[in-house]
Amino acid sequence: MTHGEVKYYLKIIRKGYKDISALYGLASLVMIVLVGLFAFLLLAYEPANEWHNTNFTLSHIESRYSRGGAVLDLYTTDNRRYVLNHNEEEIRNQLKQGQQYNVVYSDDLFHDIIKGLEDSECEYINVDEMRKSHETERFWFSTILVLCSILLLLINSI
């Protein structure tokens, strides 16, 4: 496609959007934002079948507060950091420095988030429950993404 053809098609698209009513324009903009948001969420978080297993020895724990509440940052003796944001209030006092833990984590866009945590004595976070919950969330995000895309196409075809 040449530069002239691209300019021509963009001119046609601009002309079509000049004649659109404010309601359709707003609905189209909302659908574009929702499609972008749900696409980002699906891409930012790793699917459950790609989660990783590892062992580590706990060095220290730091608490921080975010919009969703308390979050624990678990630091290992080999300078890795994992984020624990599930049952952190219950688990905080049970973890011991210097103890070995088996962990299942997702390597997401921003952090390594713990999805399963256990030691030789206790299971703190059940991986199977987390997988089921995560897959349910991904199903609904995908469904909403498809519905918003269909609505966007429908609005733009009107």
Side-chain angles (χ1 to χ4, degrees):
M1 188 178 297
T2 66
H3 181 68
E5 290 175 334
V6 171
K7 285 178 69 174
Y8 174 73
Y9 289 128
L10 287 175
K11 183 178 177 182
I12 290 173
I13 291 170
R14 271 193 310 243
K15 186 176 181 182
Y17 276 105
K18 282 183 184 178
D19 299 333
I20 197 169
S21 72
L23 181 64
Y24 285 132
L26 180 63
S28 181
L29 179 66
V30 168
M31 289 301 126
I32 289 171
V33 168
L34 288 175
V35 165
L37 173 71
F38 286 107
F40 173 76
L41 288 174
L42 286 170
L43 293 173
Y45 295 104
E46 193 172 46
N49 60 353
E50 296 180 11
W51 289 352
H52 312 280
N53 294 320
T54 191
N55 298 323
F56 66 81
T57 303
L58 185 62
S59 172
H60 65 281
I61 301 171
E62 290 181 2
S63 290
R64 61 184 164 94
Y65 292 90
S66 67
R67 285 177 254 146
V71 175
L72 297 178
D73 289 327
L74 306 180
Y75 292 90
T76 67
T77 54
D78 56 351
N79 295 325
R80 291 181 289 170
R81 183 183 81 166
Y82 297 97
V83 175
L84 178 66
N85 58 7
H86 185 74
N87 290 340
E88 64 281 342
E89 293 295 325
E90 299 170 10
I91 296 173
R92 174 184 298 151
N93 298 326
Q94 297 176 5
L95 299 178
K96 298 174 187 133
Q97 292 180 355
Q99 187 166 346
Q100 180 103 13
Y101 293 96
N102 299 322
V103 67
V104 175
Y105 69 96
S106 66
D107 185 15
D108 295 336
L109 186 61
F110 304 110
H111 302 289
D112 291 339
I113 299 176
I114 293 178
K115 301 296 184 177
L117 181 65
E118 65 183 11
D119 60 13
S120 59
E121 301 169 2
C122 181
E123 181 180 53
Y124 302 102
I125 299 175
N126 187 324
V127 177
D128 295 328
E129 290 175 9
M130 294 297 286
R131 280 187 205 280
K132 186 176 180 181
S133 172
H134 185 76
E135 288 172 358
T136 303
E137 287 176 6
R138 285 187 72 84
F139 169 77
W140 284 111
F141 285 168
S142 300
T143 302
I144 293 171
L145 176 67
V146 168
L147 289 175
C148 288
S149 299
I150 290 170
L151 284 173
L152 179 64
L153 290 172
L154 187 67
I155 289 168
N156 283 316
S157 67
I158 291 175

